Amino acid sequence: MSTLEQFQGFAKKNKQQVVSNNKAVIYTRVSDIKQKDNTSLESQKEICTEFALKNDFEICAYFGGTYESAKTDDRKAYKEMLTYVKRKKITNIIVHSLDRYSRTGGLAIATVEQLKKKGIKVISISQNVDSDTPTGTFMQNFHLLYSRYDNDIRRDKTITGMRHRLLQGYYMGVAPIGYKNARNEQNIPILLPNEKAEFIRKIFSWKVNQNMTNVEIIDRLKLQGFTIYKQNLTRVLRNPIYCGLISHSLLQGKVVQGNHEPIISKEIFLKANGIQSKNYHNYTHKKDNDFLPLKTFAFCSSCGSPLTGYIVKKKNLYYYKCKTTGCPCNRNANALHEQFTNLLTYFEIEHKLIAPLKKQLQYTFAHYFKTQKDNTPNLKASLATIINKIDKTQERFVLGEIDIALYDKFNSKFEQEKKAIEEELKNNTIKSSNLQKYVDDCIKLFSNLNKLWELSNFAGKQKLQKLLFPEGLTYNRAKDEVRTNSINPILQIVSSLSAIYDKNKKGQIVDYTNLSPCVTAEGFKPPTLRAEI
């Protein structure tokens, strides 16, 4: 007769074997830096450690130890802790209370349930419940939901207070670039301009008066020792905080007058964003005019203001004039254009020089590129070293050998060094395979400067002008002449090589390796160019 033992091989087994052990990690957290500075974190750590030792838990690592909001579970220390317990097969997470673990409500319940399926329990010292029983699970979920409810109530009260302050004209949050956070005599948070405010003024001035692109503004700021990324520059130009107004998501689409000191005027802000005020004839000023391509590109040599333009309808003639009231700088547009085309002619390459210049440019650029590549192996070695340091720092933090403060300090330092090396390596990595294309494009451009400028539309002319003369032109009305103190580095090389070729034809020997793509400190002044109406 058959027995049940004979059928044991057909019994279904649990596919997922839940492993339980006495290994544990301790997670501590506070919501803001004020709590971090007092004994709250130390108290949590001490109480959790005492509980673990009393109940024979083996403490494998400590996580948290910093201030992180628990309104979302996208927390660095929290995610590192979850990764660690899953990888090391640790089955206990000890916290002082469930609101220290998470305040996300339903999401926290789902996360705890997923951990539970892997045999990992969240043990709260303050809420002593047994999550292995239905009643204990219900109580644990209730505490997690209540933490979310309590967080929502606090958030609602905070938002109401913040909205009230904003409507009164007081900025809330971290000060934007150009300002610093401070407090007035009534201890109310206010904004004050800081040392970067001058750069903010320059950004708006260059955008309005010189019609510079964001990339050009970023490059010029970098030369003056101020680095800003493209996304941040866009935010600056679109933020009305700089003209004394406040725009905030809590204001629900409203803009209010602020109590802080503006860095720029409202008119400048509107112009920088392409919004022109209507004049008394009720028409708007047209920014792009094909008949005035040198507008805002040419500057008055007397007062330094950019030239604007207008039309005399009776004569159907356009004129350039200085923006400064009372300045006599005024010139017929056709005459000024003739002077500019004469200037372009001065830099154009003669057809007979194209072939020898190609060879000379290839030699010059190849030499320059080679010197740029010399440091690449050292940079790559430095990059490998710094990446290794970052990996070791992260490993030591995960293993609990260093706390969050030391981790943040050194990891931030190493990441900055890594970014700097990568940027320098990027600048030093030049594809010489494209050298022939660069040279051909360069020759093609500088062989047809006049024609290219004349056939281009307003945007094309402005782009070419800024490419050739990054700092624009100056016009002296008294002498009726145009000048530029800065030219494109490649334009200078081509011009220099043209002169060198002429010298070589006369029997003079010139060392091409002395050339470098840079503008001399004294600047460049082409011959005086005049034109009559």
Side-chain angles (χ1 to χ4, degrees), residues 44 61 105-106 146 236 329 340 367 372 377 407 441 480 497 502 522:
Q44 288 183 45
Y146 182 81
V236 167
C329 185
F340 183 69
H367 174 78
Q372 290 295 94
Y407 172 77
D441 290 345
D480 190 26
L497 288 176
D502 286 339
E522 293 78 10

Side-chain angles (χ1 to χ4, degrees), residues 4 90 167 196 198 287 402 410 416 436 485 503:
L4 291 178
I90 293 170
L167 289 171
K196 295 180 181 178
E198 185 59 33
K287 189 174 182 180
I402 58 175
F410 287 102
Q416 289 178 3
Q436 184 61 49
N485 294 320
K503 289 182 179 180

Side-chain angles (χ1 to χ4, degrees), residues 254-369:
K254 295 181 180 179
V255 175
V256 300
Q257 181 65 49
N259 294 323
H260 58 280
E261 177 187 342
I263 295 177
I264 60 170
S265 67
K266 293 182 176 66
E267 290 74 19
I268 291 293
F269 179 83
L270 291 176
K271 288 180 180 179
N273 285 278
I275 303 173
Q276 302 289 342
S277 300
K278 289 186 177 181
N279 57 25
Y280 63 91
H281 288 304
N282 199 30
Y283 66 85
T284 55
H285 178 68
K286 185 180 178 183
K287 189 174 182 180
D288 296 350
N289 190 325
D290 291 333
F291 296 98
L292 298 168
L294 299 180
K295 185 176 66 174
T296 71
F297 177 74
F299 295 83
C300 174
S301 62
S302 299
C303 62
S305 296
L307 300 186
T308 184
Y310 66 96
I311 183 174
V312 178
K313 292 185 178 180
K314 290 182 179 181
K315 298 181 180 180
N316 195 30
L317 290 176
Y318 283 90
Y319 284 81
Y320 289 100
K321 72 180 186 69
C322 179
K323 278 189 173 184
T324 304
T325 304
C327 184
C329 185
N330 192 32
R331 193 68 172 105
N332 179 286
N334 292 330
L336 199 57
H337 294 168
E338 184 179 347
Q339 287 181 283
F340 183 69
T341 55
N342 288 339
L343 176 65
L344 294 180
T345 302
Y346 177 81
F347 290 107
E348 279 190 347
I349 302 173
E350 294 183 42
H351 183 74
K352 63 180 181 180
L353 298 181
I354 291 179
L357 272 180
K358 274 189 178 182
K359 293 183 179 180
Q360 292 174 357
L361 279 174
Q362 288 172 352
Y363 180 81
T364 302
F365 288 163
H367 174 78
Y368 174 69
F369 291 171

Side-chain angles (χ1 to χ4, degrees), residues 68-329:
E68 290 182 318
S69 172
K71 63 182 180 182
T72 72
D73 285 340
D74 191 24
R75 290 167 274 153
K76 185 176 181 180
Y78 175 79
K79 291 193 292 185
E80 288 174 344
M81 181 262 295
L82 293 182
T83 301
Y84 181 81
V85 296
K86 292 174 184 177
R87 189 175 67 183
K88 297 293 185 180
K89 300 188 183 305
I90 293 170
T91 60
N92 302 282
I93 300 173
I94 301 174
V95 295
H96 182 265
S97 62
L98 289 172
D99 63 350
R100 298 301 90 192
Y101 174 77
S102 179
R103 284 179 174 268
T104 58
L107 181 60
I109 292 174
T111 304
V112 170
E113 188 63 28
Q114 290 174 358
L115 291 173
K116 190 175 179 180
K117 290 179 180 179
K118 296 180 181 293
I120 304 171
K121 293 192 291 184
V122 178
I123 302 173
S124 168
I125 299 174
S126 300
Q127 295 94 9
N128 188 15
V129 296
D130 184 4
S131 59
D132 290 332
T133 66
T135 301
T137 300
F138 171 78
M139 291 303 299
Q140 187 180 62
N141 292 346
F142 171 78
H143 285 299
L144 290 171
L145 286 173
Y146 182 81
S147 296
R148 170 61 183 268
Y149 168 75
D150 180 59
N151 207 57
D152 288 344
I153 293 295
R154 293 183 184 183
R155 179 176 178 273
D156 187 59
K157 291 180 179 179
T158 301
I159 288 176
T160 301
M162 290 177 64
R163 184 180 294 116
H164 179 68
R165 285 293 187 197
L166 287 167
L167 289 171
Q168 290 181 321
Y170 294 102
Y171 182 83
M172 305 297 295
V174 179
I177 301 172
Y179 285 103
K180 63 180 179 181
N181 293 107
R183 289 183 177 271
N184 61 13
E185 296 177 353
Q186 290 75 38
N187 201 34
I188 298 176
I190 59 172
L191 292 179
L192 293 176
N194 62 10
E195 67 280 356
K196 295 180 181 178
E198 185 59 33
F199 291 113
I200 300 298
R201 292 189 187 94
K202 290 181 178 180
I203 288 172
F204 281 92
S205 175
W206 293 338
K207 176 63 71 172
V208 172
N209 296 325
Q210 300 185 33
N211 197 27
M212 294 177 64
T213 65
N214 288 5
V215 173
E216 290 170 335
I217 291 174
I218 290 170
D219 291 341
R220 184 174 290 189
L221 288 173
K222 192 172 183 180
L223 291 175
Q224 297 186 11
F226 180 68
T227 301
I228 186 171
Y229 296 103
K230 189 174 181 180
Q231 294 84 351
N232 290 337
L233 178 59
T234 301
R235 293 191 191 102
V236 167
L237 291 168
R238 296 286 299 169
N239 194 346
I241 193 77
Y242 298 110
C243 65
L245 304 177
I246 295 177
S247 173
H248 198 282
S249 58
L250 295 180
L251 292 174
Q252 300 174 338
K254 295 181 180 179
V255 175
V256 300
Q257 181 65 49
N259 294 323
H260 58 280
E261 177 187 342
I263 295 177
I264 60 170
S265 67
K266 293 182 176 66
E267 290 74 19
I268 291 293
F269 179 83
L270 291 176
K271 288 180 180 179
N273 285 278
I275 303 173
Q276 302 289 342
S277 300
K278 289 186 177 181
N279 57 25
Y280 63 91
H281 288 304
N282 199 30
Y283 66 85
T284 55
H285 178 68
K286 185 180 178 183
K287 189 174 182 180
D288 296 350
N289 190 325
D290 291 333
F291 296 98
L292 298 168
L294 299 180
K295 185 176 66 174
T296 71
F297 177 74
F299 295 83
C300 174
S301 62
S302 299
C303 62
S305 296
L307 300 186
T308 184
Y310 66 96
I311 183 174
V312 178
K313 292 185 178 180
K314 290 182 179 181
K315 298 181 180 180
N316 195 30
L317 290 176
Y318 283 90
Y319 284 81
Y320 289 100
K321 72 180 186 69
C322 179
K323 278 189 173 184
T324 304
T325 304
C327 184
C329 185

Side-chain angles (χ1 to χ4, degrees), residues 60-61 63 84 87-88 394-402:
C60 298
F63 289 90
Y84 181 81
R87 189 175 67 183
K88 297 293 185 180
Q394 292 176 344
E395 182 179 352
R396 291 187 65 191
F397 173 70
V398 170
L399 295 176
E401 296 178 4
I402 58 175

